[in-house]
Amino acid sequence: MKQPAIDREQLINLATQAREVAYAPYSGYRVGAAVLTEDGRIFTAGNVENAVYPLTICAERVAIAKAVSEGATRIRAVAVVTANGGAPCGSCRQVMREFGEGNTLVFIAQPDGAYRERTLDALLPESFSVADLTRES
Ligand code: THU
């Protein structure tokens, strides 16, 4: 499939807006995410916390679950916005790897629009993926 153009500013803006719907009454750490899928759609989410703390779901994983459950299983880019430019956690990086490629782009941004850009390969080197399940030793 032809790759969709990546509008960094748009994706970061949408992730910043999604931060408004973060449900983070326990940590107070609001995260917004926006996922651009290969079919050109964008899915957004905030983190969703729970009184049983470990049940919390990160914004990135909520956004990816929205995409996959709407039939968009390949991701091209992800923007994540926090107050202080916090990076995606390890679990989210692995879930990005499931539906992304090494060259999937991740924009780690702050609400003022400042961001740093990383490939998924840089965030999760030597990752385990479906290819490892089928590869001969
Ligand atoms: N959080 C995310 O939404 N994404 C990450 O990649 C890191 C952490 C959330 C989970 C929890 O609601 C809050 O940030 C503090 O850990």
Side-chain angles (χ1 to χ4, degrees):
M1 189 184 287
K2 190 174 167 292
Q3 298 284 359
I6 300 172
D7 184 336
R8 289 161 170 72
E9 196 172 318
Q10 179 198 31
L11 206 60
I12 291 167
N13 281 342
L14 290 170
T16 304
Q17 285 170 31
R19 197 169 163 260
E20 302 294 321
V21 298
Y23 178 75
Y26 306 108
S27 73
Y29 193 77
R30 306 173 74 84
V31 184
V35 174
L36 171 68
T37 55
E38 284 195 350
D39 60 10
R41 285 188 283 172
I42 295 175
F43 298 85
T44 64
N47 48 333
V48 181
E49 297 190 344
N50 193 283
V52 180
Y53 296 172
L55 298 185
T56 291
I57 314 174
C58 294
E60 300 93 312
R61 279 181 287 146
V62 179
I64 291 170
K66 284 175 72 174
V68 173
S69 59
E70 294 293 334
T73 54
R74 300 312 306 167
I75 63 179
R76 181 73 194 100
V78 179
V80 54
V81 176
T82 61
N84 59 1
C89 79
S91 297
C92 289
R93 295 176 194 204
Q94 181 64 36
V95 172
M96 289 179 201
R97 186 68 190 83
E98 183 71 22
F99 302 106
E101 308 295 336
N103 66 358
T104 293
L105 293 178
V106 182
F107 311 118
I108 303 167
Q110 291 174 240
D112 66 1
Y115 71 97
R116 49 198 202 278
E117 178 171 329
R118 302 284 184 264
T119 62
L120 191 48
D121 256 351
L123 293 177
L124 195 66
E126 294 198 38
S127 60
F128 187 89
S129 72
V130 64
D132 294 290
L133 292 176
T134 51
R135 201 182 53 212
E136 297 288 327
S137 64

